[in-house]
Amino acid sequence: MVSPPARSLPRSIVVEILLVATLLVHAQSAPQQSKVTAGRAVRHNVEAQPKVAIVGAGIGGAFTAYNLRQLLNSTVELHVFEGKNIGGRVQTFSYEGHAYEAGASIVFSKNYYVRDAADKLALRRVPPEGSSEDLFSIYDGSKFVFRQSKWTIVTLWRMLQRYWLTYFTFQAPKQMLQKFLRLYDLQSHGRSFDTPEAFLKELGLYDLTQQSMHSYLKESLGSSTASRRFATEFVAAVNKVNYNQDSGLNAFAGMVSMLPTVNPDLFKIDGGNVQVPQMLLDHAYPDLHKTNVTKIVKSSDGTFQIETRHQDSSHVHGPFAAVVIATPLEFSSIEFEGVELPHIPARKFQSTVSTFVRGAIMVSEHAETPFSVISPAKQFPDQTILYKMFSTNAMQKQALQSIFTEHEVIGTFPWYAYPKFQPPEQFAPFKLADGLFYGNAWENAASCMEISAVSAMNSALLVQQKLNLTSAPMLINGAARNAAIEL
């Protein structure tokens, strides 16, 4: 449930809102075989250790490897396969000595797995890009319908004028969060789930994935003018910024998107969020295979062989007692042999382009707004500002010229950020077959780094049960304790 704050420009002509896309986000893939170690020698007893394969080294894959190492210590031999970059959809780039998030950007303070991992790894949590003094505005395509003031009392008065009491009485995101936080206690006691439906129903959240945010708001808020404005302006803008989608997305994803508006305690990692998956893998010390998985074969004895290809060479790895797929199958072309897969619903992913532009905003009646959000990332001594923009398609030169005076495009990063939510959502199972697990099965419920971390713990618990191995003291007890205390 990571949701980001969109830090606005006082003079911009864009949809700016309290969040900048993170929720967004998540993770899955990364770029010959190497051993990742945590500064210590690792000796594998091949005969005594079952082997576990993890496909994907994004947030989900890194947390899966880390959780398995925490749960089972050295009783398993871990192998991670990644054909691209470690971190997947969590990517950072540097410009003039400063790190900027090109992918998943912001973490919500009650995302306990990501937060606790950052603390255990001694990573410094810092406020998101932009200044706390930045104000936000909502632009409907022709005019500003709401502007934040530097005076709190003025902002509250404007909220009342525009949305009456709707903003203050809308408690659904808080209620959803209280239900979601139960999962930490469930997982700390070793509870795992074979399907997303069972997990979501246990939390009391399944129904939210079966209806749109639009229909939920209509049912819960009514049809008054203030309620309609709140739904079509405020909520729609938040969802557009976070998921680049309108309020047709499912209500659970919509609630996740709204969380920073009720509790704006957010952070990112100093030096780049990508350090989280990188350091998780360091501490899990798996064998890291920098190659693409092309086929997963289940043998008659129940073990798995993994075929890979790197450039012009192919290899076969195994046997593995269990395999965890920690990347969306939509992003891969993995073939399966010897296993009858259950139905896996087809999902489309939302294309998002992160564009970083250094320049100065030019307010013009001819300005185009072909993007979801624009926010200041850093101001330089020459008074120019580095702006971060999210859009569905690459920003064209003409559009940029209508928004900025002299400017320079510093970087453009296209990525498939998250699924296109289409309620009622249908889910693939977490357990595809005996010993074969799929962590990304519930990403179309909501998409963010913490959702990936939660599925990674579920995958690790499923593997532990499959191998029938005793757990070590569990990493997640701290997260469960924090959730209970802070509720």
Side-chain angles (χ1 to χ4, degrees):
M1 291 173 323
V2 184
S3 286
R7 304 294 164 126
S8 103
L9 314 169
R11 300 178 300 149
S12 66
I13 21 109
V14 299
V15 178
E16 301 167 295
I17 200 75
L18 191 62
L19 321 167
V20 168
T22 244
L23 213 192
L24 317 153
V25 119
H26 304 303
Q28 87 282 8
S29 330
Q32 3 236 30
Q33 173 182 0
S34 62
K35 172 74 58 105
V36 179
T37 65
R40 50 182 149 172
V42 180
R43 182 175 298 170
H44 290 309
N45 183 338
V46 177
E47 293 181 354
Q49 290 177 308
K51 295 181 180 180
V52 177
I54 301 165
V55 182
I59 278 286
F63 262 107
T64 301
Y66 182 68
N67 291 339
L68 281 169
R69 187 61 73 205
Q70 294 292 310
L71 286 169
L72 303 176
N73 289 330
S74 58
T75 59
V76 293
E77 180 179 327
L78 300 177
H79 293 253
V80 174
F81 296 83
E82 178 53 77
K84 296 181 181 177
N85 52 287
I86 291 178
R89 286 172 277 173
V90 182
Q91 288 302 310
T92 303
F93 86 100
S94 296
Y95 175 66
E96 293 198 355
H98 187 81
Y100 299 92
E101 301 302 333
S105 306
I106 308 299
V107 186
F108 181 51
S109 63
K110 286 184 168 53
N111 290 166
Y112 292 112
Y113 285 150
V114 176
R115 191 185 79 175
D116 287 1
D119 292 345
K120 286 177 181 293
L121 298 170
L123 294 171
R124 182 166 169 256
R125 294 187 275 130
V126 297
E129 292 161 354
S131 166
S132 60
E133 298 178 357
D134 292 329
L135 306 177
F136 71 89
S137 305
I138 302 175
Y139 185 75
D140 69 357
S142 61
K143 62 182 181 303
F144 286 106
V145 296
F146 180 81
R147 290 177 183 266
Q148 183 185 14
S149 169
K150 64 180 181 179
W151 303 102
T152 302
I153 188 65
V154 175
T155 298
L156 293 174
W157 173 245
R158 290 175 180 175
M159 292 289 286
L160 283 169
Q161 282 185 309
R162 190 71 186 172
Y163 307 120
W164 189 224
L165 295 175
T166 307
Y167 173 80
F168 305 97
T169 59
F170 184 54
Q171 297 296 309
K174 288 184 179 179
Q175 295 164 358
M176 180 278 296
L177 178 61
Q178 289 185 343
K179 294 179 179 180
F180 184 86
L181 291 178
R182 289 185 54 240
L183 69 85
Y184 298 106
D185 184 61
L186 291 171
Q187 292 190 322
S188 73
H189 287 87
R191 285 287 302 276
S192 63
F193 298 87
D194 289 350
T195 67
E197 290 90 342
F199 202 166
L200 289 162
K201 286 177 181 178
E202 177 67 28
L203 297 173
L205 298 172
Y206 175 74
D207 289 347
L208 290 177
T209 69
Q210 301 303 293
Q211 69 176 131
S212 70
M213 188 65 169
H214 175 78
S215 66
Y216 180 91
L217 292 172
K218 188 174 182 180
E219 291 175 7
S220 60
L221 299 180
S223 56
S224 67
T225 299
S227 297
R228 191 166 58 251
R229 284 177 178 170
F230 179 71
T232 59
E233 294 175 2
F234 194 89
V235 176
V238 171
N239 291 331
K240 187 69 173 175
V241 167
N242 279 314
Y243 285 127
N244 208 6
Q245 298 172 55
D246 59 27
S247 292
L249 83 177
N250 74 65
F252 178 54
M255 300 297 178
V256 168
S257 181
M258 290 290 293
L259 282 175
T261 70
V262 296
N263 184 348
D265 186 5
L266 310 162
F267 69 90
K268 69 168 194 170
I269 301 302
D270 188 26
N273 292 338
V274 73
Q275 295 171 97
V276 174
Q278 289 172 342
M279 292 187 68
L280 286 173
L281 285 176
D282 284 346
H283 284 70
Y285 49 93
D287 290 325
L288 178 61
H289 306 266
K290 298 181 179 180
T291 184
N292 292 306
V293 173
T294 56
K295 182 182 286 189
I296 298 174
V297 180
K298 188 170 187 179
S299 305
S300 58
D301 64 357
T303 61
F304 296 86
Q305 303 282 343
I306 289 184
E307 298 181 13
T308 63
R309 174 171 288 277
H310 180 72
Q311 296 177 350
D312 294 327
S313 61
S314 299
H315 299 277
V316 177
H317 310 261
F320 297 102
V323 176
V324 177
I325 301 171
T327 183
L329 286 171
E330 292 85 354
F331 294 171
S332 70
S333 55
I334 299 174
E335 297 179 8
F336 295 87
E337 184 178 307
V339 57
E340 185 175 346
L341 294 178
H343 174 63
I344 300 177
R347 298 180 300 191
K348 295 181 179 179
F349 275 68
Q350 179 65 53
S351 173
T352 295
V353 181
S354 302
T355 304
F356 292 81
V357 179
R358 180 172 177 173
I361 287 287
M362 173 180 65
V363 179
S364 165
E365 64 179 4
H366 303 296
E368 301 178 28
T369 56
F371 45 84
S372 305
V373 64
I374 182 171
S375 63
K378 184 177 178 62
Q379 184 166 1
F380 297 96
D382 64 1
Q383 300 305 305
T384 61
I385 296 175
L386 183 68
Y387 294 98
K388 181 179 182 179
M389 308 167 71
F390 283 146
S391 58
T392 301
N393 301 303
M395 293 295 298
Q396 300 300 312
K397 182 177 179 180
Q398 181 179 354
L400 291 172
Q401 288 176 338
S402 74
I403 299 166
F404 298 94
T405 53
E406 292 185 7
H407 66 277
E408 177 186 4
V409 177
I410 303 302
T412 300
F413 304 89
W415 54 309
Y416 286 102
Y418 22 72
K420 290 186 177 180
F421 302 107
Q422 297 178 312
E425 303 288 358
Q426 298 181 22
F427 303 98
F430 290 125
K431 184 177 180 179
L432 297 179
D434 185 32
L436 180 62
F437 309 104
Y438 184 30
N440 288 78
W442 76 335
E443 193 180 347
N444 50 313
S447 182
C448 62
M449 288 188 279
E450 189 73 2
I451 289 289
S452 291
V454 170
S455 349
M457 180 55 75
N458 188 64
S459 296
L461 291 169
L462 288 170
V463 169
Q464 179 192 16
Q465 293 164 13
K466 162 64 179 174
L467 301 182
N468 195 25
L469 295 173
T470 303
S471 174
M474 297 182 73
L475 154 82
I476 50 179
N477 286 338
R481 183 180 64 252
N482 291 338
I485 290 173
E486 297 190 26
L487 265 178

